[in-house]
Amino acid sequence: MPQPDLRRHPIIAGNWKMNKTADEAMDLVEEMIDDLDVVEGATIVLCPPFVALYPLVDLVEQSSIMLGAQNMYYEEAGAYTGEISPVMVADLCDYVILGHSERRQYFGESDADVNKKVKLAFKHSLIPIMCVGETLAQREAGETERVVGSQLRLGLEGVPPHQAREMVIAYEPIWAIGTGHAATPQDANATIGYLRQQLRELYSAVVSGAARILYGGSVTAANVRDLMNQPELDGALVGGASLKPDDFVRICAVTAELKGIR
Ligand code: PEP
């Protein structure tokens, strides 16, 4: 009897944050689409601002590139001025970043908000990329595991195992985001290993063996190889470097080379 393939499919997600108009987004994707399309064995997800999603759907349709949103609201419709519902997001893409530290920090998102969003994302067949990460002060106080463990547990409260195994978790130490100071590969590996162990305790070995856990925080073309050589990392959530076509292509190619499933 053929054995099921239990390997985890790596993911590289580009978080463009609040950068690029719709036209600029088209130009950027046109510049890298052919090179990204030939990367095999890894899923590449581009997460532009909401207003660029619609034009990009057509552009990436014939390619292997997936689209994701950077956020969504936890209601489906109604009087929520300025918000974007999961129904709207699911109409255009397959992934959604939830609980990014910038949303937690600048927009007051709580673990309870993130949890509502995770559940609603699954309801609409979106795959959540749920971010967790500690501040520098928490790290220096030796609280990294407590903080990320709590974010993981609260974000997944009430999420059943068959959905938890589809989750993408991004471990993003806040002190590493946009600073040029990535975590060491060994530290990233250790914290991601801890998160995986938590998934095992919360759910089962099946869930912890299936969920993808990414590293994010100043990933560049120069450090991606060392990071991806670590066994616990299933890919990367990339901010600044995802706006540089050559760098992003390189990050995707190296990740696929080291982790790709063919
Ligand atoms: C991010 O925005 O999720 C991120 C990791 O940013 P950067 O790669 O620029 O540190």
Side-chain angles (χ1 to χ4, degrees):
M1 212 170 76
Q3 293 298 305
D5 186 352
L6 297 176
R7 295 173 298 175
R8 294 186 293 271
H9 202 87
I11 295 188
I12 310 101
N15 173 17
W16 295 9
K17 313 196 191 202
M18 196 174 70
N19 293 293
K20 304 294 175 189
T21 64
D23 279 348
E24 289 167 349
M26 294 288 280
D27 290 346
L28 179 58
V29 176
E30 268 164 11
E31 216 179 317
M32 54 187 175
I33 190 167
D34 290 344
D35 292 331
L36 292 179
D37 202 22
V38 296
V39 172
E40 279 181 23
T43 301
I44 299 171
V45 186
L46 302 180
C47 305
F50 288 122
V51 293
L53 281 171
Y54 187 68
L56 286 182
V57 168
D58 273 351
L59 183 58
V60 302
E61 199 183 5
Q62 302 301 325
S63 76
S64 56
I65 295 166
M66 314 291 286
L67 293 176
Q70 297 174 18
N71 181 34
M72 61 175 218
Y73 195 48
Y74 52 69
E75 294 290 344
E76 292 172 339
Y80 303 102
T81 301
E83 292 294 335
I84 303 284
S85 100
V87 181
M88 299 165 187
V89 171
D91 194 31
L92 300 176
C93 48
D94 297 292
Y95 290 81
V96 60
I97 299 173
L98 297 175
H100 191 280
S101 65
E102 286 152 15
R103 297 224 48 94
R104 294 178 188 258
Q105 192 178 347
Y106 304 137
F107 303 97
E109 274 192 21
S110 66
D111 288 314
D113 295 334
V114 176
N115 178 242
K116 283 191 256 184
K117 293 181 181 194
V118 167
K119 289 190 215 164
L120 212 49
F122 277 122
K123 181 176 171 199
H124 292 280
S125 302
L126 287 160
I127 298 182
I129 303 175
M130 186 178 86
C131 303
V132 301
E134 81 286 5
T135 64
L136 185 59
Q138 288 164 336
R139 179 175 193 80
E140 287 173 350
E143 292 180 341
T144 298
E145 290 187 352
R146 182 191 64 73
V147 170
V148 299
S150 162
Q151 289 170 333
L152 182 78
R153 208 170 43 253
L154 295 172
L156 289 178
E157 211 165 82
V159 175
H162 73 277
Q163 292 180 336
R165 58 179 294 173
E166 302 293 323
M167 284 294 294
V168 181
I169 314 284
Y171 168 55
E172 298 210 308
I174 295 170
W175 48 269
I177 296 178
T179 60
H181 301 294
T184 65
Q186 294 74 16
D187 280 354
N189 194 61
T191 305
I192 289 175
Y194 173 79
L195 288 167
R196 203 175 298 289
Q197 179 204 323
Q198 293 302 296
L199 282 177
R200 192 186 173 110
E201 285 173 21
L202 279 173
Y203 292 99
S204 64
V206 172
V207 170
S208 73
R212 269 84 51 89
I213 312 186
L214 316 181
Y215 167 75
S218 296
V219 174
T220 64
N223 64 19
V224 65
R225 184 168 290 279
D226 286 345
L227 285 161
M228 292 307 141
N229 262 323
Q230 297 292 324
E232 293 289 355
L233 278 66
D234 298 319
L237 179 53
V238 185
S242 70
L243 295 165
K244 301 176 190 162
D246 290 348
D247 293 34
F248 190 61
V249 167
R250 173 112 189 106
I251 289 167
C252 294
V254 170
T255 303
E257 177 200 322
L258 295 175
K259 304 260 173 196
I261 292 180
R262 291 176 193 88

